[in-house]
């Protein structure tokens, strides 16, 4: 019982620090809608990779075509699709002369598919500014590009990344996504990207706006060609090269249905989970144990017969709740009441980490969009 109490006191101390850090950090974040804008500016090249995106690509591009920014070209890259995506892209190009379509039929050794598609799109791009975005993002506000470009220029930045609203259907999927963002916030500390003195870099696949000179100086996607978390790593490279970046929320301007079910969420996280833990079994065990002790155990020990254990458990849950509330209000459009499902979603997340790690070893690598990439090669290049 003494050892359990010591563990709980340690968890309480950790949550006290995390709560203060998250509240102070997220309070510094701003929304893109807070800033003024102009529709004038240099040519912007929007690059959209698409592999088997026939269900989402048309709605996404049509929403982008409503943007009020004047100087835009779109480069839609078909990355070896096996469904109706190529036809969808060609139909979109017929609608607007600003759209160009590039078809990729094969993948070179050492490259991940999406990374190669983004790089090929850049090679076609003519703009002084480049926006990398995904094929399922809905641009809900016609001013989002004008706002982002104006903000980048007014602040003399090299890179701006925006966090979209993640739309989910079922209660359990909402809870799972909310828990992911909860953990992401205190693990990655995205607000640190806005601090020039910090080495923390941030990139979101929904919206990575970068100047051409900065993109070329960091080595383009060739520098991260084998990294599954390409969006995040783009931001990391920006910071490594001492460039200026900024992270903002865009919950009213950008939206994505990340996954349609929990099963899809588990499958989707396969490529990033083990990579995010640097392909280290030690970090995997530490992460699973840490999540259980910090977000599941207190909900069990609160029913202990020992008053000290109950009190410490209650305090831990209180700090978890305070932190969770801040993250949900700042990073999503969801209800903080999802907190009621937190112990269960924490267990689901632990399962997703274990599942992703097991499948990586079983397959000998990660499977992403129908292609398997060697675990040994990915780990070697990650070092």
């Amino acid at each position: 019982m003494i050892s359990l109490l010591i563990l709980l006191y340690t968890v309480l101390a950790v949550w006290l620090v995390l709560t203060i850090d998250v509240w102070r950090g997220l309070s510094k974040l701003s929304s893109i809608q807070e800033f003024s804008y102009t529709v004038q500016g240099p040519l912007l090249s929007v690059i959209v990779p698409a592999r088997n995106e026939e269900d989402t690509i048309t709605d996404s591009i049509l929403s982008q075509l409503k943007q009020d920014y004047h100087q835009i070209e779109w480069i839609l890259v078909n990355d070896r699709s096996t469904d109706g995506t190529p036809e969808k892209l060609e139909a979109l190009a017929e609608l607007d002369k600003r759209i160009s379509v590039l078809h990729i039929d094969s993948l070179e050794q050492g490259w991940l598919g999406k990374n190669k598609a983004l790089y090929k799109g850049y090679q076609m791009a003519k703009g002084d500014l480049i926006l990398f975005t995904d094929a399922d993002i809905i641009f809900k506000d016609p001013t989002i590009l004008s706002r982002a470009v104006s903000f980048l220029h007014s602040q003399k930045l090299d890179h701006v990344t925006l966090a979209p609203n993640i739309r989910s259907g079922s209660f359990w999927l909402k809870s799972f996504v909310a828990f992911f963002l909860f953990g992401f916030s205190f693990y990655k500390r995205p607000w640190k990207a806005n601090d020039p003195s910090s080495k923390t870099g941030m990139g979101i696949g929904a919206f990575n706006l970068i100047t051409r000179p900065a993109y070329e100086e960091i080595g383009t996607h060739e520098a991260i060609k084998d990294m599954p978390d390409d969006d995040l790593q783009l931001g990391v490279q920006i910071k490594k090269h001492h460039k200026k970046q900024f992270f903002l929320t865009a919950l009213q301007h950008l939206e994505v249905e990340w996954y349609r079910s929990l099963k899809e969420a588990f499958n989707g996280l396969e490529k990033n989970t083990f990579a995010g833990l640097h392909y280290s079994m030690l970090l995997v065990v530490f992460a699973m144990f840490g999540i259980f002790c910090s977000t599941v155990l207190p909900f069990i020990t609160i029913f202990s017969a020992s008053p000290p254990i109950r009190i410490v458990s209650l305090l831990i849950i209180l700090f978890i709740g305070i932190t969770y509330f801040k993250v949900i209000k700042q990073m999503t459009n969801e209800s903080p009441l999802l907190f009621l499902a937190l112990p269960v979603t924490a267990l689901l997340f632990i399962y997703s980490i274990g599942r992703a790690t097991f499948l990586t070893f079983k397959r000998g690598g990660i499977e992403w969009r129908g292609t398997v990439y060697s675990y040994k090669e990915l780990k070697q290049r990650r070092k």
Side-chain angles (χ1 to χ4, degrees):
M1 182 174 296
I2 294 177
S3 58
L4 176 59
L5 192 56
I6 292 173
L7 174 61
L8 289 172
Y9 272 123
T10 303
V11 172
L12 177 60
V14 169
W15 273 115
L16 176 59
V17 173
L18 287 177
T19 301
I20 295 172
D21 186 50
V22 170
W23 268 80
R24 293 171 71 177
L26 289 182
S27 295
K28 298 177 183 177
L29 287 185
S30 301
S31 168
I32 189 66
Q33 68 183 358
E34 298 174 19
F35 301 97
S36 58
Y37 65 96
T38 174
V39 297
Q40 301 291 342
L43 179 62
L44 169 62
S45 298
V46 180
I47 300 174
V48 186
R51 177 170 170 81
N52 297 338
E53 300 281 5
E54 63 177 357
D55 293 335
T56 61
I57 188 64
T58 299
D59 288 341
S60 177
I61 300 304
L62 289 180
S63 73
Q64 295 179 39
L65 293 176
K66 297 174 183 177
Q67 291 295 301
D68 64 0
Y69 189 74
H70 288 173
Q71 295 282 82
I72 313 180
E73 67 169 356
W74 279 268
I75 299 172
L76 312 183
V77 187
N78 166 36
D79 176 24
R80 302 165 295 135
S81 294
T82 57
D83 63 356
T85 297
E87 292 76 19
K88 296 278 188 179
L89 299 186
E90 293 294 345
L92 287 165
E94 291 292 325
L95 289 177
D96 197 304
K97 63 181 180 180
R98 296 173 296 174
I99 297 177
S100 300
V101 177
L102 172 64
H103 297 281
I104 295 178
D105 299 319
S106 60
L107 183 62
E108 298 174 25
Q109 182 69 27
W111 281 88
L112 270 65
K114 180 185 175 185
N115 304 28
K116 186 64 175 183
L118 293 171
Y119 178 68
K120 285 292 189 180
Y122 146 74
Q123 290 183 315
M124 282 186 62
K126 302 180 181 68
D128 294 322
L129 297 176
I130 299 172
L131 172 65
F132 298 111
T133 186
D134 293 332
D136 54 357
I137 307 300
I138 300 298
F139 286 57
K140 299 180 66 178
D141 188 293
T143 69
I144 183 66
L145 291 180
S146 298
R147 291 179 186 275
V149 172
S150 296
F151 181 77
L152 181 140
H153 283 151
S154 67
Q155 302 298 313
K156 296 180 172 57
L157 301 171
D158 301 293
H159 175 234
V160 170
T161 190
L162 303 180
N165 175 52
I166 300 177
R167 186 180 74 255
S168 303
S170 70
F171 171 80
W172 286 110
L173 183 58
K174 288 178 188 287
S175 301
F176 185 80
V177 171
F179 184 84
F180 174 85
L181 292 173
F182 173 60
F184 176 84
S185 295
F186 60 74
Y187 178 60
K188 292 296 185 182
R189 304 173 77 205
W191 57 86
K192 297 297 289 183
N194 302 344
D195 180 359
S197 65
S198 171
K199 296 181 180 180
T200 299
M202 183 54 54
I204 305 293
F207 199 100
N208 268 322
L209 176 65
I210 187 170
T211 65
R212 178 182 286 270
Y215 180 63
E216 292 173 348
E217 189 171 332
I218 67 173
T220 72
H221 273 82
E222 281 193 296
I224 53 173
K225 63 183 180 180
D226 52 6
M227 296 186 177
D229 49 345
D230 61 284
D231 50 357
L232 175 62
Q233 291 302 322
L234 183 70
V236 170
Q237 291 297 316
I238 286 286
K239 275 299 183 77
K240 280 186 177 180
H241 288 78
H242 309 291
K243 299 298 181 182
K244 292 182 66 177
Q245 68 178 190
F246 218 88
F247 171 82
L248 297 164
T249 60
L251 303 182
Q252 309 306 321
H253 297 75
L254 297 173
E255 185 171 84
V256 59
E257 185 178 27
W258 204 15
Y259 302 111
R260 288 172 290 185
S261 66
L262 268 179
K263 182 179 180 180
E264 278 194 11
F266 292 148
N267 292 337
L269 290 176
E270 285 176 22
K271 72 180 180 68
N272 285 343
T273 302
F274 203 17
L277 294 170
H278 303 284
Y279 303 107
S280 166
M281 279 303 301
L282 180 62
L283 287 180
V284 167
V285 173
F286 179 79
M288 295 174 70
F289 179 75
I291 293 172
F292 179 82
C293 291
S294 63
T295 56
V296 177
L297 183 62
F299 289 89
I300 298 173
T301 54
I302 197 171
F303 297 105
S304 170
S306 168
I309 289 179
R310 289 202 305 272
I311 292 171
V312 176
S313 300
L314 180 61
L315 289 173
I316 293 172
I317 293 172
L318 176 62
F319 282 118
I320 294 174
I322 293 171
T323 309
Y324 189 89
F325 176 84
K326 183 63 174 178
V327 172
I328 297 307
K329 295 299 288 185
Q330 195 89 26
M331 300 291 289
T332 79
N333 289 330
E334 301 293 354
S335 168
L337 291 177
L338 293 173
F339 174 75
L340 298 175
L342 185 135
V344 177
T345 47
L347 289 172
L348 289 173
F349 198 75
I350 292 171
Y351 164 76
S352 74
I353 294 174
R355 179 180 182 275
T357 304
F358 170 76
L359 290 176
T360 298
F361 282 110
K362 181 181 179 181
R363 295 168 179 156
I366 63 168
E367 183 176 347
W368 187 16
R369 300 275 182 168
T371 304
V372 176
Y373 302 93
S374 168
Y375 157 69
K376 290 183 178 179
E377 291 182 8
L378 291 172
K379 183 177 181 180
Q380 182 63 35
R381 296 190 188 111
R382 193 86 177 199
K383 292 180 179 178

